[in-house]
Amino acid sequence: MSALSYSWRPVCRCQKCKKYHALATSMNRESEPQLAMSCEVIIVDDHPLYRAALKGAVSAACSEGTFHEADSVASMFDTLEHHPNADLLLLDLNLPDAHGFSALAYVRGAHPELPVIVVSGSCDSTTVRQAMVFGAQGFLPKSADAALIRDCVQALLRGDAPIPAGYRSEGAELPDQAALDVAERLAHLTPQQFRVFSMLCLGRLNKQIAHELQITEATVKAHMTAIMRKLGAVNRTQAVLLAAHLTLNPDEIKAQPEEVD
């Protein structure tokens, strides 16, 4: 098998996983190319060609799959709202309106029974381990070919936790307690508050956020007040610094001068 083959680890049986486990336990993972079942899948990636490639590969794992696509965290929220009973989410770790593991942490808190496979161009042991700690049930490198994507999806729907072969937890850095606390607090934000928070982390001012979201500045200020309360931050700067705990590259977080909220 190639370096990007998968190993399988047991994962706790949430209701979504239980739905498929009884059907799939007798399946030989080497000889059966498809699970003969209906599966509703949401694919979130900002590159349309890669979304198409994922859709084609996942189709080989779910013979009657229904697919929904999103190109950002914002459109993912809309998709989840319209398809609340989705069976699987494939989530790009590097979306333009997310910061590190923030979108994953939010989805895990808001949709605890939705199995998530993180998709990333980085598959070092620290990234893989942190993704699993923040709530992913599986991890898929972007360099994986169609067969490996199929294997990854099949493994997850069987109730296993697929990770890249060669992954070693020894030496992989775990998130610190501060990061875990921030991830838990993020789950209390509404989707719109998460959008505002993400734009704040990009250095947007209230008027810029209001313009991009097509809401009033007063509404933005109300969201800011709620965000800081839920995150336990005393001001905008501290809220932004909290987000840095979830990033792979802290330099992507940009603070702005304080505004009156």
Side-chain angles (χ1 to χ4, degrees):
M1 300 180 74
S2 74
L4 289 174
S5 60
Y6 281 88
S7 58
W8 288 265
R9 291 184 171 186
V11 68
C12 65
R13 309 285 191 231
C14 69
Q15 291 301 314
K16 290 287 186 183
C17 291
K18 286 179 179 178
K19 181 177 178 181
Y20 307 108
H21 184 61
L23 173 66
T25 47
S26 62
M27 184 184 75
N28 183 310
R29 64 169 60 109
E30 296 296 332
S31 61
E32 288 289 341
Q34 288 187 325
L35 296 176
M37 63 180 172
S38 175
C39 184
E40 189 171 15
V41 181
I42 298 175
I43 297 174
V44 187
D45 193 283
D46 59 330
H47 296 288
L49 290 178
Y50 192 74
R51 290 200 306 272
L54 277 177
K55 180 178 178 180
V58 176
S59 296
C62 301
S63 60
E64 300 177 10
T66 301
F67 295 89
H68 312 289
E69 299 181 26
D71 61 0
S72 64
V73 173
S75 60
M76 177 183 70
F77 289 154
D78 293 337
T79 304
L80 285 169
E81 181 179 354
H82 288 93
H83 305 281
N85 297 316
D87 301 298
L88 176 63
L89 174 69
L90 281 83
L91 177 63
D92 181 12
L93 193 58
N94 189 30
L95 293 167
D97 52 348
H99 305 284
F101 298 101
S102 63
L104 171 62
Y106 181 84
V107 169
R108 176 51 52 233
H111 303 273
E113 291 191 348
L114 175 62
V116 178
I117 295 176
V118 161
V119 183
S120 176
S122 301
C123 57
D124 60 276
S125 292
T126 292
T127 300
V128 175
R129 191 173 191 191
Q130 292 197 8
M132 305 300 275
V133 171
F134 282 119
Q137 277 76 38
F139 193 97
L140 180 65
K142 282 202 168 184
S143 53
D145 61 22
L148 294 176
I149 295 171
R150 179 203 65 206
D151 290 348
C152 179
V153 172
Q154 286 183 340
L156 183 69
L157 297 182
R158 267 196 305 274
D160 296 329
I163 56 176
Y167 164 76
R168 296 288 182 271
S169 61
E170 298 81 5
E173 184 179 346
L174 280 169
D176 59 23
Q177 188 58 49
L180 296 175
D181 289 343
V182 173
E184 184 176 354
R185 295 174 197 172
L186 276 180
H188 296 289
L189 301 182
T190 66
Q192 187 74 325
Q193 288 167 0
F194 187 91
R195 294 184 183 102
V196 171
F197 178 62
S198 295
M199 296 174 73
L200 173 65
C201 293
L202 291 173
R204 303 289 194 272
L205 298 171
N206 285 353
K207 62 182 179 181
Q208 294 172 313
I209 296 173
H211 175 74
E212 292 190 37
L213 295 181
Q214 297 184 338
I215 57 179
T216 67
E217 282 194 59
T219 300
V220 173
K221 290 179 180 180
H223 283 317
M224 288 292 183
T225 299
I227 289 166
M228 288 186 283
R229 174 176 53 82
K230 291 178 179 181
L231 294 183
V234 298
N235 53 40
R236 295 160 65 98
T237 298
Q238 188 178 35
V240 168
L241 291 175
L242 288 174
H245 288 288
L246 300 177
T247 63
L248 298 171
N249 176 19
D251 291 338
E252 72 186 47
I253 299 295
K254 301 177 181 178
Q256 287 283 344
E258 290 295 322
E259 295 187 81
V260 178
D261 292 328

